[in-house]
Amino acid sequence: MTATPTKRDLLSIADLEPDLPELLLRAREMKAARRTGVLAHRLAGLNLGMIFEKPSTRTRTSFEVAMNDLGGHAIYLSPKEMQLGRGETIADTARVLSRFVDGIVYRAYRHEDLAELARWATVPVINALDDLEHPCQIVADLTTLHERWNGDFAGRRLAYIGDGNNVHHSLLLGCALVGVDLASATPKAYRPRPEIVARAEVFARRSGAKLTFTDVPREAAHEADALYTDVWISMGDEAEKEPREAAFRGYQINAALLAEARPDAFVLHDLPAHRGQEITDEVLDGPRAAVWDQAENRLHAQKAILERLLRGPG
Ligand code: CP
Ligand code: NVA
């Protein structure tokens, strides 16, 4: 079966070009409209299948609540309890699920598996994190920046401190798309993939965003408007625990690093946090952490994403 021409996937945050700015506004509108009931039937009658190969607290819950709030329904599918876990192919799974549901959310170990599912599904497929990207997270993060900066991204600088991983990849592309400057500090051996950087640089030339790279956290954090970090050891990287802990020592958001940033700077973390590694308790529990708003915004961002992909614009 070939893909329907109208279906729209979200495998990379770059798939949201050119309507990412509009999506952030919509996420904020949906946040303001929560509990008013005006959106209660927006996705009425629609069903979402959600395959999670890895654990999740925020992504799973926010998608389920988003579907409920919009009048639809979400079904959590664990590969261990699916025939997928016994060898049914991704292609066959995609073809069958497409006959039941209106969209498929997939948290995968391998980006190739996500692409394979999207290739065979005739309904939209949404990346709920893989080894390459975490686009839905970054839609929520940009929504948080939009809230904090009142939609004015020009000249704002975010500093990312840590691993050049899935979150960093989507952040690079997302910031470049909407015009937020991003200063990245990663150890030399853990830089983001060159093909992602190259693509982000193309977007940045269009939006005017400045992307800079260093291996010195203080350089990136200096006079930044916000700091962002993620775990040193992502899901799937557990075998590299020791070398990673050694390489990332010093790539921590703590009071001293925060003091490098502007006095009104705030701190983001996609969570879950490994307290005492990439971020200290003092910062995470302190008044400059925007992480709880950021986590809440996953819900509003998911709604905007689901509406756009499952219903289309308008
Ligand atoms: N930030 C994030 O994706 O969290 P979960 O792994 O809990 O979904
Ligand atoms: N980079 C982390 C993000 C978790 C939400 C991981 O992939 O585990």
Side-chain angles (χ1 to χ4, degrees), residues 170-223:
S170 294
L171 196 63
L172 273 165
L173 294 165
C175 286
L177 279 171
V178 301
V180 172
D181 296 347
L182 183 65
S184 302
T186 60
K188 285 197 175 74
Y190 295 94
R191 284 189 178 149
R193 292 201 201 173
E195 66 273 20
I196 297 275
V197 174
R199 194 159 191 210
E201 275 168 350
V202 172
F203 294 143
R205 276 196 286 280
R206 256 179 248 155
S207 69
K210 285 195 209 80
L211 306 178
T212 55
F213 300 89
T214 175
D215 58 354
V216 183
R218 284 181 51 191
E219 251 175 45
H222 187 66
E223 292 291 308

Side-chain angles (χ1 to χ4, degrees), residues 1-73:
M1 194 182 291
T2 52
T4 46
T6 51
K7 99 166 173 124
R8 187 167 175 199
D9 299 317
L10 172 51
L11 306 191
S12 163
I13 195 161
D15 295 334
L16 293 174
E17 194 200 11
D19 48 7
L20 186 53
E22 207 179 294
L23 205 67
L24 305 182
L25 283 171
R26 185 64 178 146
R28 291 192 62 191
E29 258 174 35
M30 288 177 128
K31 183 171 186 172
R34 189 157 195 225
R35 314 215 187 269
T36 63
V38 298
L39 297 168
H41 305 291
R42 196 73 187 134
L43 297 184
L46 298 185
N47 289 291
L48 184 71
M50 307 199 304
I51 307 172
F52 279 82
E53 288 179 1
K54 308 182 195 182
S56 170
T57 297
R58 283 144 285 269
T59 309
R60 175 186 173 178
T61 314
S62 56
F63 268 117
E64 284 199 29
V65 174
M67 283 304 284
N68 284 340
D69 280 1
L70 301 180
H73 182 68

Side-chain angles (χ1 to χ4, degrees), residues 58 229-231 269-281 284 291-292:
R58 283 144 285 269
T229 191
D230 183 24
V231 292
H269 189 312
D270 51 298
L271 304 176
H274 287 70
R275 291 166 175 264
Q277 287 199 345
E278 76 278 0
I279 194 162
T280 57
D281 285 333
L284 196 59
V291 298
W292 316 114

Side-chain angles (χ1 to χ4, degrees), residues 54 107 129-130 134 165-167 230-231 233-235 270-272:
K54 308 182 195 182
R107 172 166 284 194
L129 180 149
D130 62 23
H134 196 2
N165 60 12
N166 46 7
V167 166
D230 183 24
V231 292
I233 302 158
S234 285
M235 293 179 276
D270 51 298
L271 304 176

